[in-house]
Amino acid sequence: AQSVTQPDIHITVSEGASLELRCNYSYGATPYLFWYVQSPGQGLQLLLKYFSGDTLVQGIKGFEAEFKRSQSSFNLRKPSVHWSDAAEYFCAVGQAGRRALTFGSGTRLQVQP
Amino acid sequence: GAGVSQTPSNKVTEKGKYVELRCDPISGHTALYWYRQSLGQGPEFLIYFQGTGAADDSGLPNDRFFAVRPEGSVSTLKIQRTERGDSAVYLCASSSPPGTPSTDTQYFGPGTRLTVL
């Protein structure tokens, strides 16, 4: 069965600093990988996704993520964080032929002024 | 509508009662998904519809949970004999038909917060 680990429950960064949120997955074949963001009282918004091809993917709001098969990782990065980025971030994995996504437990990002 | 909508946004019920949660997917999306998100956790898959039929219901925790999508659009998640452990945010998502761009991308609604007292 596939699984997703987000090792950091809570991260605090200063506004303008760089950000990296970690995601490790367990799945035998090439996974479909996603990052979603959830603001309080809001639904999940898709930031970016990886299905195949270029392992560095660009998303909305200046986010990017890199798929590293050797490390089973799909870390999310942003060079300069804005206060509006404070939210909960979820990594998710899917697989070809099965629509159900498996989510990690999330990382809560706090941004200090 | 422009996005996935869910009603009600909040539902408070008593233990043992029956509840229905509604999801209206993005227009034209044939696939519909239900997830449950407990406090401090990521969403957990419950069931997936392609059209009117449940293509994968492997995530339903027990037979108290049931979902329908009779006309291939709106879906209702039904929970019988609710328990306090059913308290969570129930999320609905939809995606475009197979063979279309982004068919593997799920777009989520705001959720229904269910509280069982």
Side-chain angles (χ1 to χ4, degrees), chain A:
Chain A
Q2 57 199 29
S3 65
V4 178
T5 302
Q6 293 182 248
D8 304 304
I9 297 172
H10 186 205
I11 283 183
T12 300
V13 299
S14 298
E15 190 168 16
S18 64
L19 172 70
E20 182 168 26
L21 302 182
R22 295 184 290 167
C23 172
N24 294 96
Y25 67 90
S26 173
Y27 178 60
T30 299
Y32 295 171
L33 294 160
F34 305 81
W35 275 100
Y36 283 87
V37 60
Q38 187 176 42
S39 299
Q42 304 295 314
L44 291 157
Q45 181 182 22
L46 180 69
L47 287 175
L48 47 78
K49 59 188 177 184
Y50 171 80
F51 291 165
S52 65
D54 192 346
T55 56
L56 184 63
V57 293
Q58 303 295 321
I60 63 171
K61 304 185 179 186
F63 285 93
E64 67 178 25
E66 186 171 12
F67 170 58
K68 293 186 177 180
R69 183 188 303 276
S70 61
Q71 298 177 21
S72 297
S73 69
F74 189 59
N75 294 349
L76 182 71
R77 301 194 293 249
K78 186 169 185 178
S80 177
V81 169
H82 188 263
W83 64 267
S84 61
D85 293 325
E88 184 126 27
Y89 291 79
F90 293 94
C91 181
V93 62
Q95 62 188 80
R98 185 163 188 262
R99 293 301 189 104
L101 294 181
T102 300
F103 284 82
S105 55
T107 297
R108 179 163 297 280
L109 174 65
Q110 188 173 357
V111 180
Q112 288 182 332

Side-chain angles (χ1 to χ4, degrees), chain B residues 5 8 11 13 16 22 40 49 57 60 63 66-67 75 78 80 84 90 92 98-99 105 109 112 116:
Chain B
S5 62
K11 176 71 176 178
T13 191
R22 176 189 167 108
F49 288 89
D57 64 357
L60 294 178
D63 62 6
F66 189 70
S75 175
K78 308 180 181 202
Q80 299 177 318
R84 292 193 180 89
Y90 289 81
C92 178
T105 300
T112 293
V116 182

